[in-house]
Amino acid sequence: MAKKLVIKVTAGADAPERCSQAFTVAAVAVASGVEVSLWLTGESSWFALPGRAAEFELPHAAPLPDLIDSILAAGRITLCTQCAARRGITEKDVLEGVRIAGAQVFVQEALADGTQALVY
């Protein structure tokens, strides 16, 4: 098993099952002791904002705010630079602990030794 996991989630409320799967896998990996970096891109970008995850609903799925809290407790969440800019989101707008970074950082993380990358 890879010691590091980089997950890019492109789906948000537009594809709730895919979105929930990405956050669930990230949270389970963190709880299992895996180093996790979750990237918010596309429609998932909105979940970098306070209160937005609470609006997300999917029957029989863990609440998104709880998953985000568990990921931030021991992992990293990054909002894509271009995705943030297209939505008018700045660093002062995002949840505490969420950073904004670009493709170069994603590629660097995804290609690091011992890393598995997943895209949802």
Side-chain angles (χ1 to χ4, degrees):
M1 182 165 92
K3 303 233 189 264
K4 299 176 190 171
L5 186 60
V6 177
I7 300 172
K8 180 183 275 194
V9 55
T10 62
D14 59 326
E17 287 183 304
R18 192 163 28 113
C19 176
S20 180
Q21 288 171 3
F23 282 92
T24 300
V25 167
V28 168
V30 166
S32 300
V34 176
E35 184 180 327
V36 173
S37 178
L38 178 72
W39 283 73
L40 305 177
T41 67
E43 285 303 300
S44 72
S45 299
W46 296 113
F47 299 127
L49 298 175
R52 292 303 281 267
E55 298 172 6
F56 181 85
E57 292 184 17
L58 182 63
H60 310 291
L64 203 53
D66 294 348
L67 296 174
I68 289 172
D69 288 346
S70 68
I71 297 164
L72 284 173
R76 176 185 300 135
I77 296 180
T78 304
L79 172 59
C80 163
T81 302
Q82 290 181 15
C83 299
R86 281 191 282 275
R87 290 161 179 80
I89 301 171
T90 67
E91 289 197 3
K92 67 179 171 41
D93 301 319
V94 299
L95 294 166
E96 185 177 340
V98 173
R99 70 175 176 167
I100 297 177
Q104 178 184 1
V105 177
F106 176 80
V107 170
Q108 181 180 19
E109 286 185 11
L111 295 178
D113 288 340
T115 300
Q116 173 69 51
L118 303 172
V119 179
Y120 287 88

